Amino acid sequence: INEVIGIVFSSDGNSLNDDDTPETIPNWDSITHIIVLSSLEEEFGITFSDEEMTNINTIGEIRRTVAEKIEQR
């Protein structure tokens, strides 16, 4: 998860905090948001609902949601 996030945000995904948001990550905009979630869907064979795509607003929410989806498989 951290590797995919890091690649999209051009940073070390391990250095991002769960509380990080688009306000604290300079290149997190609507386009990179979609790219992150789409990349995670492809990497882990999961799907985010439209509601999840809209409501995920922190790195922690991304990590938790992906982990939950992986566990549900």
Side-chain angles (χ1 to χ4, degrees):
I1 297 170
N2 290 340
E3 184 177 336
V4 173
I5 292 170
I7 289 169
V8 175
F9 289 137
S10 300
S11 67
D12 176 8
N14 293 318
S15 68
L16 298 173
N17 297 315
D18 281 350
D19 294 333
D20 281 328
T21 67
E23 287 77 34
T24 62
I25 300 174
N27 58 344
W28 188 348
D29 59 21
S30 59
I31 300 298
T32 53
H33 183 80
I34 292 168
I35 293 170
V36 165
L37 297 182
S38 296
S39 297
L40 290 165
E41 286 180 326
E42 185 176 319
E43 178 70 24
F44 296 104
I46 60 174
T47 304
F48 293 101
S49 68
D50 290 342
E51 183 178 338
E52 288 168 328
M53 288 274 211
T54 303
N55 293 329
I56 291 175
N57 295 308
T58 68
I59 294 296
E61 290 172 352
I62 292 172
R63 290 174 176 153
R64 281 187 298 278
T65 304
V66 171
E68 288 170 6
K69 288 182 174 295
I70 291 171
E71 287 178 15
Q72 292 172 357
R73 289 191 294 179

